Amino acid sequence: MILNFNLFRNKGMKVKETKCSSAYNKPPWIFKGRALYQFHLVKAEVAKAIIPKEFRLVEAFGYTLGGFFFANYNESPFGPFDELVAIAGIVWNPPTSHAWAARVYVNSDNACTHGRKEFGLPSQFAAFSKGSTQMINVAEIDGPVATSLYDIRLEPPTLKTNPLKWMALGPTIKMSLPSFSGHTEHNPQLLKYSCQIECRVKPTSPARVLGSSERFDSQNVELNECLKKREMSIEVMLSKPILALEFNCLKMEVHPPVVVSQGSHQPLEHGINT
């Protein structure tokens, strides 16, 4: 079964709780739908250019585990919308490791605002357009400007469809996806949160990601720095896939984040040199 997306629509840190300031219902926030979670081998040098410098990257032989989470929510506090999260890699904060999002693309203004202010996510408004043969184009929207970033081709699954529908969807599992966020202009604090997921999961063929041919122009230093971060996110998406999991009957419960460390009025330094 092919995913059928309905588109267009550091070390020893102390943790303390932060209060929720969201106007979108009361937490926990519930999201329902389906998703593709794809794991990639991301070059450590690429991931280090995205994650905060005080974190230690979990790496081996010059690579870390990143990838992307591509979801279509038919129910959420913001109504139906689509989300693409480019995951730069895994960072270590004893006693556990957490993922770090390089970029989050959503086609909902409310979801974008909520992600930025409540969770300190690098959320961007985007257009998701579906072409033929399960090809999906993702374009970042900045005011009147739309920049096509990449095409995602959803491939047929590696396993044959089972005649029994409940078996075809895979077994039911419960899991937690812990993540760090923050260090942005909208939320300079360093935060951590987890997504509690219940779904049916099964392996599928990795999606093919084709990147945009556009490259940043180094003539403008200030603009160049912003585009460097977007460029690194594209590198994450174009890295080598090693495993893809299809999440069906997805229910994701997200609680408010907790503050790991206070920030300043400016985003804290990342690995990209200025």
Side-chain angles (χ1 to χ4, degrees):
M1 182 177 69
I2 298 175
L3 286 178
N4 181 19
F5 285 94
N6 235 345
L7 299 169
F8 278 104
R9 307 204 299 203
N10 243 340
K11 202 171 180 182
M13 294 179 179
K14 293 183 179 179
V15 176
K16 64 179 182 179
E17 294 193 5
T18 183
K19 293 182 179 180
C20 165
S21 60
S22 174
Y24 302 103
N25 301 328
K26 293 183 179 180
W29 297 283
I30 305 296
F31 301 80
K32 295 181 179 180
R34 61 194 338 183
L36 174 70
Y37 194 175
Q38 187 155 305
F39 298 88
H40 288 196
L41 288 178
V42 178
K43 290 182 179 179
E45 61 187 50
V46 172
K48 287 177 180 177
I50 299 171
I51 68 173
K53 283 188 172 180
E54 64 264 39
F55 280 136
R56 179 162 64 87
L57 184 69
V58 178
E59 60 178 301
F61 307 106
Y63 290 88
T64 186
L65 188 63
F68 65 86
F69 182 80
F70 189 18
N72 170 230
Y73 303 115
N74 50 43
E75 293 183 37
S76 83
F78 322 104
F81 75 97
D82 303 294
E83 177 181 53
L84 174 63
V85 182
I87 303 169
I90 304 297
V91 296
W92 178 245
N93 184 50
T96 60
S97 57
H98 294 65
W100 185 272
R103 209 79 159 181
V104 178
Y105 297 101
V106 293
N107 55 0
S108 163
D109 282 323
N110 289 337
C112 185
T113 300
H114 183 260
R116 286 176 175 178
K117 294 184 177 181
E118 188 70 40
F119 287 87
L121 289 169
S123 298
Q124 303 291 326
F125 187 74
F128 295 76
S129 55
K130 180 179 176 181
S132 60
T133 65
Q134 294 294 309
M135 181 73 81
I136 298 169
N137 176 264
V138 181
E140 184 174 309
I141 308 297
D142 185 8
V145 179
T147 304
S148 178
L149 299 180
Y150 25 71
D151 295 315
I152 301 175
R153 184 189 295 276
L154 301 173
E155 301 289 349
T158 53
L159 300 182
K160 294 182 179 179
T161 301
N162 193 295
L164 297 178
K165 184 177 180 181
W166 68 271
M167 293 181 66
L169 295 177
T172 300
I173 67 166
K174 292 183 179 180
M175 61 187 296
S176 176
L177 298 179
S179 301
F180 280 122
S181 60
H183 283 202
T184 67
E185 61 177 319
H186 302 285
N187 196 329
Q189 299 178 115
L190 181 60
L191 310 171
K192 79 171 185 178
Y193 66 97
S194 65
C195 301
Q196 307 300 321
I197 289 178
E198 181 176 351
C199 66
R200 290 188 177 276
V201 62
K202 69 172 183 176
T204 188
S205 298
R208 292 181 58 198
V209 182
L210 306 176
S212 167
S213 60
E214 297 183 22
R215 293 293 181 234
F216 59 80
D217 183 358
S218 58
Q219 297 299 315
N220 187 315
V221 176
E222 182 177 355
L223 182 60
N224 183 36
E225 186 60 29
C226 175
L227 292 180
K228 276 184 181 179
K229 295 178 181 179
R230 187 170 72 188
E231 189 78 4
M232 291 297 179
S233 301
I234 294 176
E235 291 298 322
V236 170
M237 293 292 297
L238 296 180
S239 55
K240 182 178 178 59
I242 57 173
L243 175 66
L245 298 176
E246 183 179 312
F247 289 179
N248 291 290
C249 307
L250 170 70
K251 178 182 179 181
M252 183 169 68
E253 185 175 298
V254 185
H255 291 262
V258 295
V259 176
V260 176
S261 68
Q262 296 291 338
S264 63
H265 293 293
Q266 299 295 326
L268 300 183
E269 188 177 10
H270 290 63
I272 298 176
N273 294 323
T274 56

